[in-house]
Amino acid sequence: MDFRALTNKISILLGVLIFLGAVAWSARVSGRPSSKPLTKGDVIDLLKGDVLPQRVGEVARERGIDFEVTSQVEGELRRAGATDDLIETLRNLAPKQHGIQIEVTPGDAEVYVDDERQGKTSPEGRLKITTLAPGQHRIRVALEGYRDFETTVEIKRGEMTRVVTQLQSSGSATSSGGPSTTSVTDNSGRALMARVIEGLGGKAKVDSIKSFQMWGSAVFHLPQGDISAQLDSTGDFRGFMRQIVTSQMGVMTNLVTPSSAMVIMGAGPQVMSQEEREETLKGLWRNGYFVCQHVNDPSFSFTPGGDTVVDSIATKVLDVRGAGADSRWFIDPSTGWIMRASYTYMENGVPIAVVEDFQDWQLTSGFYIPLRVKTTRNGSPFSEMVVTKLEVNPYISPVYFNQ
């Protein structure tokens, strides 16, 4: 399959490094959408329709499945004609369990999700909940004689989210990890932004950034299998972006300016749609450094959204609005680093929920950046990226953005 054929089957958002605004790549889409995952009924119908188990396994690998292979399901599949090899294939393809793992001190606490009781933690303080749908949920932990602990978590498909806390006595003067007693105002949001600016390198450093060039590698998890790629992305905050993605399928270049946008592949250049161009430019406007440069801009707003836990880190949620590219940040207040960002990306008129997790923060070119980024789309793993090199305010040849 060539690169053009691949892009006819998928739509890719390379949501990488909100801090660098590195890439927001939308591949051209002109073919049919990817097939839906197989249900248990689909597999049984194929087997009963005399489709060979080996072929059923191939279809399952192409499309995925949406059910778990329990002992009861295995019995149904075997009665329909499933072999040991097919059962093993389906077990490997089954969606991983997702939910939340509550760990609270002291134990025997009541746990509520979205105001519905889910049970009581063990005497050791643990409770696993696996019946929740992916998305955001409100968690409340209550125990007589202690202050309630409340937080919001985002459950991602196939992942367990840990919520760790220690309840405070109702007579305590302070609360560790509990909800803030400070009134929530836009001013407090800007105060949190000040912490982010400090964590990224300080105001002088942040304000000095006008453009960047970033190199890295990525792995995309696609229905056809994993695809590895090399990335070269140049961005200018005036509204210019050049993105080069090289993989075994070929080379694709995106060129975006304030007035035009084009995709260049083996078959030649094609003009981006207005939606594609706008969504690509939003990658710049969501850029963490760009946003920090506008912390005092009255057209931007920064609204606190409570507390939540990301990868065992208690974070502060901040809703960022401005330049038409809204997003939600999950900030580690101890460092000012953004551990997660979420936003909506439009693809062929359909909204896609994108979540980016930022890891391995390092000092690079005088700025703190996350060198690893994991991205999900609508709760499913999509890409993993590693930054290998960054240049801030590089020389940008005028021909970079020639079309």
Side-chain angles (χ1 to χ4, degrees):
M1 181 184 297
D2 61 18
F3 189 67
R4 180 62 178 275
L6 175 65
T7 59
N8 281 339
K9 291 179 176 294
I10 62 173
S11 179
I12 294 178
L13 166 66
L14 182 59
V16 183
L17 289 181
I18 192 172
F19 313 101
L20 304 180
V23 188
W25 175 37
S26 175
R28 308 291 291 178
V29 180
S30 58
R32 62 178 178 82
S34 299
S35 300
K36 293 182 180 180
L38 295 176
T39 65
K40 180 188 71 174
D42 291 333
V43 174
I44 290 176
D45 288 345
L46 288 170
L47 292 169
K48 289 184 175 180
D50 294 328
V51 177
L52 293 175
Q54 180 179 353
R55 177 54 184 155
V56 175
E58 292 173 356
V59 175
R61 280 189 289 270
E62 292 173 1
R63 293 175 51 178
I65 65 175
D66 70 354
F67 60 93
E68 294 183 17
V69 184
T70 63
S71 57
Q72 179 179 345
V73 171
E74 179 180 348
E76 295 179 52
L77 295 172
R78 289 190 182 280
R79 286 191 291 274
T83 61
D84 289 344
D85 287 344
L86 177 57
I87 294 295
E88 182 64 22
T89 296
L90 297 176
R91 286 192 189 281
N92 293 333
L93 294 173
K96 296 179 180 178
Q97 192 177 62
H98 58 257
I100 57 175
Q101 173 71 45
I102 304 290
E103 298 178 18
V104 58
T105 304
D108 293 319
E110 299 285 349
V111 177
Y112 299 83
V113 178
D114 300 328
D115 297 325
E116 293 188 7
R117 184 181 182 278
Q118 299 294 317
K120 179 184 290 189
T121 64
S122 67
E124 294 75 30
R126 295 184 179 88
L127 177 67
K128 180 184 289 187
I129 304 172
T130 59
T131 57
L132 303 175
Q136 289 197 345
H137 296 274
R138 298 188 311 277
I139 311 298
R140 181 167 64 90
V141 181
L143 181 63
E144 186 176 356
Y146 293 83
R147 296 181 181 180
D148 286 1
F149 169 80
E150 297 185 21
T151 189
T152 299
V153 300
E154 183 162 356
I155 296 176
K156 294 189 288 185
R157 190 176 302 279
E159 295 185 14
M160 294 297 298
T161 300
R162 293 177 66 211
V163 177
V164 183
T165 189
Q166 180 171 344
L167 299 180
Q168 299 297 310
S169 169
S170 56
S172 299
T174 61
S175 174
S176 174
S180 172
T181 57
T182 305
S183 61
V184 177
T185 66
D186 191 59
N187 287 334
S188 63
R190 293 184 189 274
L192 188 54
M193 279 297 296
R195 185 72 187 95
V196 173
I197 292 172
E198 180 184 354
L200 295 181
K203 189 176 188 304
K205 283 281 190 181
V206 168
D207 289 345
S208 72
I209 302 177
K210 306 303 178 186
S211 61
F212 59 84
Q213 187 166 7
M214 182 278 297
W215 295 263
S217 61
V219 175
F220 299 98
H221 306 297
L222 307 178
Q224 294 82 3
D226 288 352
I227 299 293
S228 298
Q230 297 298 312
L231 314 173
D232 178 351
S233 181
T234 302
D236 186 306
F237 286 162
R238 295 174 299 171
F240 296 84
M241 294 188 73
R242 185 190 72 162
Q243 306 155 353
I244 303 174
V245 182
T246 305
S247 76
Q248 61 264 44
M249 299 299 177
V251 179
M252 186 186 79
T253 301
N254 280 357
L255 293 174
V256 181
T257 74
S259 59
S260 61
M262 187 168 293
V263 179
I264 302 173
M265 294 185 289
Q270 293 186 15
V271 176
M272 281 189 187
S273 69
Q274 181 69 15
E275 178 187 80
E276 288 175 314
R277 175 179 166 273
E278 291 177 355
E279 291 300 318
T280 300
L281 282 175
K282 285 179 182 179
L284 280 176
W285 314 146
R286 291 191 187 97
N287 175 295
Y289 288 108
F290 178 85
V291 171
C292 287
Q293 291 174 2
H294 290 77
V295 67
N296 295 318
D297 186 335
S299 67
F300 279 68
S301 67
F302 308 94
T303 306
D307 303 330
T308 192
V309 176
V310 175
D311 292 335
S312 302
I313 297 175
T315 66
K316 298 289 185 181
V317 180
L318 188 68
D319 288 322
V320 178
R321 297 181 179 274
D326 302 344
S327 57
R328 171 168 285 187
W329 291 359
F330 299 78
I331 302 164
D332 180 354
S334 67
T335 61
W337 297 341
I338 306 172
M339 309 308 298
R340 174 177 292 172
S342 62
Y343 54 90
T344 299
Y345 177 87
M346 296 301 298
E347 187 174 274
N348 294 327
V350 177
I352 306 295
V354 179
V355 177
E356 298 170 350
D357 283 331
F358 306 108
Q359 303 168 352
D360 194 13
W361 282 79
Q362 300 289 336
L363 186 64
T364 303
S365 298
F367 303 87
Y368 280 97
I369 68 168
L371 298 184
R372 295 180 180 273
V373 184
K374 293 184 178 181
T375 304
T376 65
R377 286 162 48 99
N378 289 339
S380 298
F382 176 71
S383 68
E384 300 174 13
M385 176 187 161
V386 176
V387 178
T388 56
K389 183 180 178 182
L390 167 71
E391 289 186 11
V392 175
N393 298 329
Y395 168 73
I396 299 179
S397 171
V399 303
Y400 271 28
F401 302 107
N402 286 351
Q403 302 178 42

